[in-house]
Structures are given as C-alpha cells and as structure tokens.
Amino acid sequence: MFFYDLMVKFANWAWGLPMLIWLVGGGVILTIATGGVQFRRLGWILKNTIFKKEGRKSENGVSSYSAVMAALSATIGTGNIVGVAVGIVNGGPGAVFWMLIVGLLAMSIKYSEALVAVKYRRKRDDGEYDAGPMMYLKEGVGAKTNKTFGAILGVGYAIALIINLWIAAGVHTGAVVDNLAAFSVNRWVSTIGLMIVIGIVVYGGVQALTKITDKLTPLMAGLYIFGALAVIVMNIENLIPSIVLVFKHAFTPSAAIGGFSGAAVAQAIRWGTARGMYSSDAGNGIQSIMHGQANVERPAEQGIWGVFEVFFDTIIVCTLSALAILTSGVWQGADQTAALMPIAAFEGTLGILGKLIIVGCVVMFAGSTVLSFAYFTESQARSLTGSKAVGKGAQLIFIGIMLMGGVFGVEKILILSDVGNALSIFFNMTGLIILSGVVRDETRDFFKDKAKLSN
C-alpha cells in the first residue's frame, strides 16, 4: 500500500499550514485587489442581490438568482452542520471567531471566482457555457502569462476536480443513506431512489437543475435556520455566555470543561480557519461553474452574488450552527462526538421534532449537493474534452459511484478526495492571484459606472 500511504502523507502535509497560508494569503491579496468589496460594499451588495425582487427569472438562460441558488445547493452541506461541530471539538469556542474572520476573506475569493468565470466563459451550441476554473485558467492565465502554463493549470484543475466530484458522489450519497437508515429506510431503496432522482434531473441540463434548486435551496435553508433559532431561543440564557466564550477563547486557551479536553489558541485559529474555508468551498472554484451560467452582461454583476453566497453560507448558517451547539451545552458532553453533536443539540432541546428537522436537513443538504455535483461533473468533463458523450459518460460514472457510496461506503478512498481537493485549490488559487489585476480593473469599472448612474 505504498501509494496509499504516500497519499495520506501528502494530504496531511497539504492540509496543514501550507494550504491554510495559500488560502488565507490568497484571500488577503484578492481582498486588496477588490478594494475590500466585501467590507465597503456589503450593504449595497445585499440590497442588490437577495433583497432585489426583480430579475429573479430570466427568459434567456439562467438568472443570477437561479445560478446562486444552484451554487448554494452544493455549498450548503454537512460541513455547515457537522463541520462546525468538528471545529468546536478540536479548536474550542474560539474557533468560531476565526471561522467568521476567514469567512470574510472567503467572500473576496468567491467574488473573484464568479467574476472571472463570467469574463472567460465560452458559449456552447446547446446554449450553456463552458465556464469555471478550467476556462479562466486556460484562457485568462494563458493570456496573462503564456498559453502552455494556462493550459497546464486548466487541465490539471479539471482532472483533479472530476476525481473529487466522483468521490463526493459516494460520500454525500452515503450521508443521505446513513441518515435515512435512522428511520429504518433500507439502504438499497434509498440509494436507488436517489440515483433515479439525480439521473432524471441532470438529464434535463442546467434548466432542469435550476428549477429544482430554486425551490429546494430556500426550503432546506429556511427549515434549518428555523430549527437552529428555535434551539438558541430555548436556551436563550446561554446565548450571551456563549458569545463571550467565542471572543474570549479566540485569543486565550480554552480550558477543559466536562468532556471537552481544552484547546490552545493555535488550535482555535487552525480549525476555525479550516472551517471558514471548507464550509464555503472558497478556493476550489467548483461553484464558479454554475456562476458562469448566469445571464449577465458585466462579470462583476455575478461577482457580487458570490459575496452573498459566502455571507449566507458561512456568516449566517455556520454561525447559527455554532450558537445552537454552544447554547445547548452538548459540546461539553463526555459522550458526544462531533458527528452526533448537532443531533444532540436539536433533539435534546426540541425533542423528536428537533431530530426530524436535523436529519431532514442533512438529507436535503447532502442530496442537493449530489444533484449539483452531478451537473458539475458533466459540465467539467465536456469543457475538458469538447465532447458531449464524454460529459455524459463522466456523469454515468458519478451515478455509479453513488451506488457504491450508498450501499458499501467509500471510507478507504476518502484520502484521494483530500489530495484532489488540495490540488484543485492550488491550481485555482494560483490562477486567481495571477488574475487579481483583471479582478481589480473589472471591479473598479463596474462600481465607477454604478456611481455615475446613481448621480
């Protein structure tokens, strides 16, 4: 098992300090390039994205709203629930503070990904676009440096991403099946059922996908927010003390309490940083494939939806997850693992209703992620080869791996996902940093024109 052991060592090294520096450092560079768009213009962005009622539907192509709903269907996942618990278990309450700080940096990364995805996309014969990191690495970086270097980054990214998506098919299908098994649903039945649903939807392409995600994403997010708020309100006497813990232990070690073994400040920073990036998928560029389908004229028009995506996913959903876990007190339990904490928080506070909400949300989060990833797989394989048949073939492999993950599990190959994801981020962040000047110019021109129109 020499190859497997080598992959384990590489993954452990990559996902330590090197990847965190690359992601956070890249986030700082892009924040500077955008003029701190996520800080200076957040109010304007929210007003002109989620709070803007007109333009949610598009007669031609995919609207910005539909694109971000499909992107969020993949972004909001088990990482927003279990992942936050993992951060608290390993880094203490202070990890939540660093998760939010890094989430603010992640906004500039998502903004940049969406912007360049639109700028360097290419329309296909079927009306959809070849879009996302492969295109802006190949075309954008190729133009800024040389074509060979851009092609290497683009192709390398595409191959790593397809492998990631195939493995994710099994991982997220397994999450759906495991949670349904808690209600005595047969693994074969739930797996085959999910495969059929995914197959039918993705056969219809991006329009069929957005018809589902336009309705599913607000439903599942709304249900989870309702449940988390209910847990917090029922434990309202612990809210202020929990917030104090978050800020206090961001800068001082958290002592052992109950079953919690304590955590140093370095652990709070490390795990909070990781959760802030992992929860939003900032840096790996996957969701920019969907952002690149949006029917917009200016690249920055879709970039601002990238800011909203991270704001909602990390600042709102992850914060509610953290406060539900902290106010309920389950993070101190001697017999609680990170995977069980969210269920314990919801069920312990709301009873069987809480369990139904949390399990239902995990099923919908994981299922919607599989749905979007199935489309991303086909789109990326088609962009890589220019062949519709190859794209559909890659999608069939994706659905086949869903069967493996649902019925048999894929724990042994999870390490390949860590390796592939690290490579995807390396290729993508390298390209974004090179294209930071393009991002700066597009941002400056966009907001300059907006200022003229408002005068």
Side-chain angles (χ1 to χ4, degrees), residues 53-108:
K53 300 299 182 183
E54 64 269 20
R56 291 198 171 190
K57 297 294 181 182
S58 176
E59 295 182 2
N60 300 308
V62 176
S63 69
S64 290
Y65 174 82
S66 293
V68 82
M69 287 300 108
L72 275 171
S73 74
T75 306
I76 300 178
T78 54
N80 298 84
I81 303 176
V82 177
V84 172
V86 170
I88 293 173
V89 167
N90 291 283
V96 178
F97 174 87
W98 296 109
M99 176 188 74
L100 296 177
I101 293 297
V102 171
L104 294 173
L105 292 177
M107 288 184 192
S108 67

Side-chain angles (χ1 to χ4, degrees), residues 98-328:
W98 296 109
M99 176 188 74
L100 296 177
I101 293 297
V102 171
L104 294 173
L105 292 177
M107 288 184 192
S108 67
I109 297 176
K110 271 294 177 76
Y111 170 86
S112 302
E113 289 174 345
L115 186 154
V116 293
V118 172
K119 183 172 180 63
Y120 294 104
R121 65 187 178 182
R122 181 178 61 204
K123 198 161 191 175
R124 301 195 303 238
D125 293 338
D126 62 0
E128 296 180 20
Y129 290 95
D130 287 325
M134 181 191 158
M135 293 304 298
Y136 60 71
L137 293 174
K138 179 182 175 183
E139 303 296 332
V141 174
K144 294 286 288 185
T145 56
N146 63 73
K147 290 184 177 180
T148 301
F149 181 62
I152 290 173
L153 285 181
V155 172
Y157 174 88
I159 293 172
L161 178 62
I162 291 170
I163 293 173
N164 283 343
L165 293 172
W166 280 342
I167 296 171
V171 173
H172 291 287
T173 301
V176 172
V177 172
D178 288 345
N179 278 273
L180 289 177
F183 292 95
S184 301
V185 180
N186 181 271
R187 297 187 71 89
W188 279 96
V189 171
S190 54
T191 301
I192 298 298
L194 183 61
M195 290 172 64
I196 292 172
V197 171
I198 298 299
I200 291 173
V201 174
V202 298
Y203 179 79
V206 69
Q207 294 293 340
L209 172 65
T210 55
K211 285 181 181 179
I212 298 295
T213 55
D214 274 2
K215 298 177 177 62
L216 179 59
T217 301
L219 172 64
M220 68 181 188
L223 179 62
Y224 183 70
I225 288 172
F226 167 78
L229 284 173
V231 172
I232 295 168
V233 170
M234 293 292 286
N235 297 287
I236 194 68
E237 70 278 5
N238 297 326
L239 179 58
I240 298 302
S242 295
I243 293 174
V244 170
L245 285 176
V246 168
F247 283 91
K248 176 182 178 181
H249 294 305
F251 304 99
T252 61
S254 47
I257 306 174
F260 176 63
S261 60
V265 174
Q267 289 174 296
I269 296 174
R270 183 255 186 268
W271 286 100
T273 301
R275 293 326 317 160
M277 286 298 183
Y278 297 169
S279 67
S280 65
D281 279 343
N284 65 23
I286 293 176
Q287 281 77 31
S288 68
I289 296 173
M290 195 65 232
H291 282 288
Q293 306 301 319
N295 183 23
V296 294
E297 295 181 2
R298 304 283 295 273
E301 279 186 78
Q302 196 59 29
I304 63 175
W305 281 95
V307 173
F308 163 73
E309 181 189 338
V310 179
F311 176 82
F312 184 77
D313 172 87
T314 303
I315 307 301
I316 293 180
V317 177
C318 287
T319 298
L320 289 175
S321 293
L323 290 177
I325 291 169
L326 292 174
T327 58
S328 66

Side-chain angles (χ1 to χ4, degrees), residues 165-171 173-174 188 191-192 194-196 198-199 202 370 374 377 391-410 413:
L165 293 172
W166 280 342
I167 296 171
V171 173
T173 301
W188 279 96
T191 301
I192 298 298
L194 183 61
M195 290 172 64
I196 292 172
I198 298 299
V202 298
V370 175
T377 300
K392 290 300 180 183
Q395 206 167 61
L396 286 175
I397 294 173
F398 181 96
I399 294 174
I401 295 175
M402 286 176 62
L403 178 65
M404 293 172 55
V407 177
F408 305 109
V410 291
I413 60 172

Side-chain angles (χ1 to χ4, degrees), residues 417-432:
S417 179
D418 290 339
V419 172
N421 204 24
L423 292 174
S424 295
I425 291 171
F426 173 76
F427 292 134
N428 185 51
M429 288 302 298
T430 298
L432 288 177

